Amino acid sequence: DGIRDVAVTGVQTCALPIFANITIYFKLTIIQNRKRYLIINILFTQANQNLCVIILKIIFYIIATLWYHKNFDLLYVRTFSPPELLASLISNLFHGKKIIILIPGYWIFTPNSIRVKLLRIIMRIILFRAQKIIVYSSMMIPYVEDILGPLNKKKTVIIKNAIDVNRFIPKSSTMSNSLLCVSRIHPMKGIDDIIRLLPLIKQEIPDIVLKLVGPVESQDYLKYLRKLSHDLECSDNIIFCGPIPNEKIL
C-alpha cells in the first residue's frame, strides 16, 4: 500500500555504476602515477582484496541509495551481500524506504564465525523492518527460524522457483523418459525424496531414467543415495552425471 513505483529492483541498480566508475579511476591512477600504484597494489593484494572490495561496495552502495532516494520507493533485496543489506537498512532508517527481502537459503549462516554473527544481527534487524519477507518453500521456514528467530507470518510470503519458458523449450515433440535434476549432492537438497518416487513412476514409465547433474559435496550422502536406490530396486534407472557446464545441460 502506498507504493508509487518500484524503480529499483536491487541496490546494485543505482550503486553499481558509481562503483564501476571508481574502479576505472583506480585503473587510470595505476597507469598515471607510480607512487599511487604502490599504495593501491598494497591495498588490493590477494590476501585482503575481498575485504577491500566489500568495504568499498558498502560505502558506495550506501552513498548511491542516499543520493538517489527520491528516485525509488522500495528496495528489493535478494542476496545476503553485506553491501546490499546495509545500504537497504540505511535507506530504510534515514528515508523510510520500504524493503522486500528474499531469503534464498540458510547455508550461509551455518559457519560459526564473527562475520556470520554480525550478518545474523543485520538480517534480524532487516527482517523486523521489512515490508515483506519472501521464501521459496514452507519447508525453509523452520530452518530459517532456528538461525534468525521467528518470522512474522503476516509478512512472510512463499513464492516458489519459476521456470524460464523462453529458455527451457523441448527440442522436439518426442517425449523423453528422462527426469533431470540439477543440484548439489548434499542432504539439504532432498534428492532422496525424488529417488523414493521412482518406484511409483516406474509403474507408469518402466524405462524412466533419473539424471542427477551436480557436484558431490557429501560422499556419505552419495553412498546413502546409492544404497537407497539399490533397496528400492531402481539403481538401473539412475545416472549420476557429475557436474556439467550450464550451457551443456540441455
Side-chain angles (χ1 to χ4, degrees), residues 33-49:
N33 192 318
R34 288 286 181 177
K35 293 181 181 179
R36 291 194 179 184
Y37 167 77
L38 293 177
I39 296 173
I40 294 169
N41 190 42
I42 293 172
L43 181 66
F44 287 95
T45 55
Q46 188 63 36
N48 61 11
Q49 182 178 8

Side-chain angles (χ1 to χ4, degrees), residues 102-136:
L102 166 68
I103 304 178
Y106 49 87
W107 62 89
I108 194 172
F109 299 106
T110 51
N112 190 16
S113 65
I114 296 177
R115 177 182 177 276
V116 169
K117 290 178 180 179
L118 291 174
L119 192 58
R120 287 183 184 181
I121 293 173
I122 297 171
M123 277 295 296
R124 289 189 182 114
I125 296 173
I126 290 182
L127 291 176
F128 175 76
R129 301 189 66 86
Q131 194 80 5
K132 291 292 181 182
I133 302 168
I134 302 173
V135 294
Y136 290 133

Side-chain angles (χ1 to χ4, degrees), residues 137-236:
S137 166
S138 59
M139 297 181 65
M140 290 177 57
I141 295 177
Y143 296 98
V144 172
E145 290 185 328
D146 284 343
I147 298 170
L148 299 175
L151 297 178
N152 187 327
K153 300 299 187 294
K154 293 181 179 180
K155 297 196 298 185
T156 304
V157 179
I158 297 172
I159 301 179
K160 297 186 178 181
N161 284 321
I163 298 175
D164 185 350
V165 295
N166 293 320
R167 178 186 175 194
F168 297 99
I169 302 174
K171 294 182 178 179
S172 67
S173 59
T174 304
M175 294 296 293
S176 171
N177 291 338
S178 295
L179 181 63
L180 177 65
C181 174
V182 182
S183 168
R184 295 177 288 120
I185 308 299
H186 191 281
M188 70 169 58
K189 291 300 183 179
I191 299 173
D192 53 299
D193 291 334
I194 302 177
I195 294 178
R196 295 179 198 279
L197 288 173
L198 280 181
L200 294 175
I201 298 175
K202 285 178 63 178
Q203 294 178 11
E204 299 292 332
I205 311 174
D207 59 343
I208 186 71
V209 176
L210 171 61
K211 297 179 180 179
L212 297 172
V213 176
V216 177
E217 295 191 356
S218 172
Q219 290 293 336
D220 291 338
Y221 188 57
L222 177 61
K223 292 178 183 178
Y224 169 71
L225 294 180
R226 292 189 184 278
K227 183 179 183 303
L228 178 64
S229 61
H230 178 269
D231 294 342
L232 295 176
E233 299 181 353
C234 57
S235 298
D236 295 337

Side-chain angles (χ1 to χ4, degrees), residues 10 29-30 51 57 65 69 78 80 121 148 153 155 162 167 170 204 206 228 231 239 241 244 246:
T29 304
I30 289 173
L51 179 60
K57 288 178 73 174
T65 51
H69 71 94
R78 54 181 180 84
F80 291 134
I121 293 173
L148 299 175
K153 300 299 187 294
K155 297 196 298 185
R167 178 186 175 194
E204 299 292 332
L228 178 64
D231 294 342
I239 300 175
C241 303
I244 297 177
N246 189 42

Side-chain angles (χ1 to χ4, degrees), residues 3-10 13-14 68 70-75:
I3 297 176
R4 299 188 304 276
D5 180 32
V6 182
V8 178
T9 59
T13 303
C14 57
Y68 294 107
K70 294 183 179 179
N71 295 347
F72 62 92
D73 298 298
L74 181 146
L75 286 169

